[in-house]
Amino acid sequence: MDEKQLEDHFNEKIDQDIRIEPKDWMPDNYRKTLIRQISQHAHSEIVGMLPEANWISRAPTLRRKAAALAKVQDEAGHGLYLYSACETLGIDRDTLLDQLHTGKAKYSSIFNYPTLTWADMGAIGWLVDGAAIMNQVPLCRTSYGPYARAMIRVCKEESFHQRQGFEIMLTLCKGSEEQKKMAQDALNRWWWPALMMFGPSDKDSPHTEQSMRWRIKRFTNDELRQKFVDATKPQADLLGIEIPDPDLKWNEERGHHDFGEINWDEFFNVIKGNGPCNKQRIDARTKAWEDGAWVREAANSYAEKKSKRNAA
Ligand code: BYC
C-alpha cells in the first residue's frame, strides 16, 4: 500500500472505532500527539504523588495513613502503566524522564499548588481525582489500544480515590466549626485550579480539533469542564460548603450551571513553570532520579550477567 492508501485505511479504522495497535501504520503526527499526551499524563501521575506524600506522615489516624499510602502507590502504578503504553510508540523511558526533568514535557498544572492542611487531602481526592475521572473515563474509548486499556484500571482506582477524598471532606464538614472551616478553605484554594486541569478553553486549545478527529480525545476541554461543574455543585451542597464563585448558578435554558471566568493568566503562568511549587516538584523528581542511579546500574548489570549466563 502507498502512503495515501495507508492513511485512508487508518482513517477508516478511526471512523469505525477500531483500535490502533502499536504495530499498525499511523501518521507521524498521531504518534507524536500520543507520545506527548500519554507521557504528560504519566508525568502527572508521578509528580502527583508529591503533594499527597507530604501528608502520609501527618495523617490524623492509622486508617487515614493506610489509605493515603495506598493512594500514592496507586498513582505510581498509573505512571508505570502509562510510561509502558507510551513506550509502545517507539520512545524509551529515559528519554521521557529526561523531558520531564529538563522541562521539555509538561505535567498537570494542578500539582504545582501546595498542600497546606489535612483538608487538602480531602479536596484533592474529591476535586482533583474527580476531575481526573471526568477526563479519563472517556479515554477508556480513546483510539490507541494500549492507552485505552491502561485507562480502564486507572479509572477504577481513581474513582475509589475520589470517594475516599469526598469521605474526608464529609467527615470534616460534619465535625467541629474549625474542621468545617478547614474544608471550606481547601475548597476555596482547589476549586479554580481543578477547573484549569481540563486545559485551555476550546478556542485557545491548539490540539483539541485534531485530537477529536483522531478520537484520541472524545470530548473537548470545555465540555468536560462543564460536566465537572454540573456533577460537583450538588456534592458541595451536600457537604454544606460553598464553591468560591459568585457567578455559579443553574441555567434552566442550557440545562447546565453557568460559572465565572477562569483566571487564564494564572493557568498559563503555572504551565510555563512559574506556579507556587513548580521548582520544588521538578527538584524532587530530579533528585529521586539521581538517587536511584545505583538501582538502575545494579539491575542492568544483573540483567547483563543473566543473559550471558543463559547464552553460555
Ligand atoms: N496542565 O491543546 P490543549 C492525574 C497544555 S490527572 C499542564 O488543550 P491537549 C492525577 C497541553 O499539554 C492530570 N498543561 O492540549 C489525578 C498543551 O501543551 P503542549 C493528568 C496543560 O493535550 C489525581 C497546551 O497546554 N491527566 O494525573 O489536547 C491524582 C495546550 O492544551 C494542561 C491527563 O494528562 C494542564 N492542566 O489537552 C494523581 C489526561 N492543560 O503539550 C494524578 C490526559 C493543557 O503542546 N490528557 N495543557 O506543550 C488530556 O486529556 C489532555 O492532554 C489535556 C490537554 C486535556 C490535559
Side-chain angles (χ1 to χ4, degrees):
M1 278 201 262
D2 64 22
E3 186 97 349
K4 165 88 178 64
Q5 286 167 321
L6 286 166
E7 186 149 7
D8 288 347
H9 182 56
F10 169 86
N11 285 329
E12 267 166 37
K13 287 211 285 196
I14 295 280
D15 292 343
Q16 289 169 28
D17 264 336
I18 298 172
R19 293 263 158 80
I20 307 299
E21 296 297 337
K23 289 187 178 153
D24 294 346
W25 185 92
M26 59 186 86
D28 279 351
N29 275 336
Y30 177 83
R31 187 185 299 277
K32 267 195 209 145
T33 300
L34 280 168
I35 290 176
R36 180 184 62 77
Q37 176 165 327
I38 302 174
S39 67
Q40 296 189 160
H41 193 166
H43 300 327
S44 305
E45 298 284 353
I46 297 299
V47 177
M49 294 163 74
L50 296 169
E52 289 178 291
N54 189 33
W55 279 90
I56 291 174
S57 58
R58 287 178 280 160
T61 65
L62 186 58
R63 187 171 80 91
R64 295 291 188 202
K65 192 193 283 278
L69 255 179
K71 179 176 195 266
V72 171
Q73 282 177 349
D74 286 350
E75 277 146 20
H78 300 170
L80 298 184
Y81 311 143
L82 286 164
Y83 284 128
S84 297
C86 198
E87 284 177 303
T88 65
L89 290 155
I91 186 159
D92 64 71
R93 201 170 299 202
D94 285 7
T95 308
L96 296 173
L97 289 170
D98 187 62
Q99 290 173 351
L100 171 68
H101 301 150
T102 55
K104 271 188 226 136
K106 295 189 171 71
Y107 58 88
S108 184
S109 50
I110 193 76
F111 301 118
N112 292 305
Y113 292 85
T115 43
L116 304 179
T117 72
W118 171 251
D120 289 11
M121 291 303 93
I124 290 183
W126 173 36
L127 301 173
V128 175
D129 287 85
I133 296 166
M134 201 52 94
N135 164 277
Q136 288 168 27
V137 167
L139 292 177
C140 297
R141 294 186 295 115
T142 194
S143 56
Y144 187 57
Y147 191 25
R149 289 189 287 274
M151 277 299 108
I152 293 171
R153 176 156 174 190
V154 169
C155 285
K156 285 189 180 149
E157 293 178 349
E158 299 285 29
S159 85
F160 186 74
H161 298 166
Q162 195 271 350
R163 277 151 204 244
Q164 74 111 13
F166 187 77
E167 199 258 338
I168 293 176
M169 294 301 274
L170 197 56
T171 306
L172 291 172
C173 289
K174 286 198 299 201
S176 65
E177 245 341 277
E178 205 181 335
Q179 284 174 311
K180 193 165 180 186
K181 256 197 214 148
M182 251 170 73
Q184 178 67 61
D185 170 62
L187 172 57
N188 292 349
R189 285 181 291 106
W190 290 94
W191 175 252
W192 292 105
L195 294 193
M196 293 173 197
M197 282 177 73
F198 295 95
S201 64
D202 295 348
K203 66 178 176 21
D204 297 319
S205 161
H207 302 300
T208 293
E209 196 185 333
Q210 180 63 72
S211 288
M212 293 284 288
R213 193 130 39 85
W214 278 331
R215 301 196 181 175
I216 292 175
K217 285 167 89 162
R218 309 295 308 223
F219 292 97
T220 72
N221 300 355
D222 286 335
E223 283 167 351
L224 290 171
R225 196 172 1 252
Q226 181 70 65
K227 275 172 183 271
F228 175 76
V229 172
D230 290 340
T232 312
K233 169 71 169 89
Q235 297 168 358
D237 292 346
L238 198 136
L239 292 171
I241 49 181
E242 234 172 272
I243 291 178
D245 178 359
D247 297 323
L248 180 67
K249 54 177 175 308
W250 179 251
N251 180 327
E252 195 61 53
E253 246 168 63
R254 289 202 311 122
H256 290 290
H257 292 87
D258 291 335
F259 55 97
E261 186 59 27
I262 290 170
N263 182 346
W264 291 115
D265 289 344
E266 175 181 326
F267 170 76
F268 286 113
N269 204 31
V270 171
I271 69 171
K272 261 193 240 137
N274 304 320
C277 300
N278 294 60
K279 184 171 177 327
Q280 192 181 325
R281 302 291 185 236
I282 290 301
D283 287 352
R285 288 312 315 159
T286 310
K287 182 173 184 307
W289 174 251
E290 285 164 1
D291 290 351
W294 69 272
V295 179
R296 292 190 296 279
E297 276 161 29
N300 280 338
S301 137
Y302 176 75
E304 257 172 48
K305 277 196 190 127
K306 202 172 165 194
S307 76
K308 269 191 204 147
R309 226 182 301 133
N310 288 345

